[in-house]
Amino acid sequence: MFDEIMEKFEGSPSQQAVIRLLLERGFSVNDDGRVVSGGIEIPNTGIAREIGVDRRVVDSTTDVILEDPELRRIFQNISQVPSLMDLAPVLDLTVLAIAVDDADQKGIVAQVTGTLAEHDISIRQTISEDPEFTDEPQLYLVTDQELPGDVFTAIRELEFVRKIEIQ
């Protein structure tokens, strides 16, 4: 789906940058063509500054979104999920990042969370990056426990795991 969205902006790398930011941050576009997070409006100048484009690029991108029924449906319904990952050091949480060989493989989340459950590790949050939105998607698990070595070994031995690290 990500490729299909980006194709609609293939003639404009600047507009693609706007689309990428909207998707990564979970920002939506309201009926007035304003970028919002929930009910809070994000100024186009701030978005433009963040990605190094002119404010008018943001305006033209939101215009295209509202004119295209498929894009409108996507960008009026996208939402943001708060992440504990950045708060982990402040809240004494552990973040486990797992890179896999094939992110499209079925059962990755189930096997990893099952392995943690077998070792009596509770999970506060799980974030799975979508392979359509990022080149090297990872699975992130946030827990309020330190992870013993046997847990790392058990996860590392799962057939699909390419890399595992604590962040």
Side-chain angles (χ1 to χ4, degrees):
M1 183 54 146
F2 179 71
D3 291 337
E4 293 170 22
I5 293 170
M6 295 307 274
E7 281 177 21
K8 293 181 185 247
F9 298 92
E10 68 183 339
S12 175
S14 296
Q15 286 185 327
Q16 286 181 333
V18 173
I19 292 297
R20 193 171 286 108
L21 179 99
L22 295 179
L23 291 170
E24 286 174 357
R25 303 283 173 88
F27 293 156
S28 56
V29 177
N30 67 17
D31 288 332
D32 299 324
R34 308 305 300 166
V35 176
V36 294
S37 178
I40 301 169
E41 187 174 313
I42 313 294
N44 287 354
T45 53
I47 293 167
R49 187 174 32 254
E50 173 79 10
I51 55 177
V53 301
D54 188 273
R55 171 198 55 80
R56 293 171 291 191
V57 173
V58 180
D59 291 333
S60 65
T61 305
T62 59
D63 289 345
V64 171
I65 288 170
L66 292 179
E67 292 167 4
D68 183 296
E70 184 179 22
L71 292 175
R72 184 181 192 117
R73 193 174 72 248
I74 291 167
F75 285 97
Q76 288 200 328
N77 290 295
I78 195 169
S79 62
Q80 195 172 20
V81 175
S83 169
L84 292 175
M85 289 182 4
D86 292 334
L87 292 173
V90 176
L91 300 177
D92 263 349
L93 301 174
T94 300
V95 178
L96 180 65
I98 302 170
V100 298
D101 292 322
D102 178 10
D104 290 323
Q105 183 177 334
K106 292 175 179 26
I108 292 172
V109 175
Q111 287 187 54
V112 172
T113 57
T115 301
L116 290 176
E118 289 169 6
H119 289 85
D120 204 29
I121 304 290
S122 64
I123 300 168
R124 297 277 302 269
Q125 187 173 50
T126 303
I127 299 169
S128 177
E129 293 178 328
D130 190 317
E132 289 197 31
F133 292 136
T134 184
D135 292 332
E136 301 218 11
Q138 292 196 63
L139 173 63
Y140 299 96
L141 297 116
V142 181
T143 180
D144 54 11
Q145 298 169 256
E146 289 189 27
L147 302 177
D150 61 332
V151 172
F152 286 105
T153 301
I155 292 173
R156 182 69 184 116
E157 289 175 350
L158 295 172
E159 67 197 37
F160 50 79
V161 174
R162 187 180 74 229
K163 182 172 81 172
I164 181 172
E165 62 184 12
I166 294 289
Q167 294 189 333

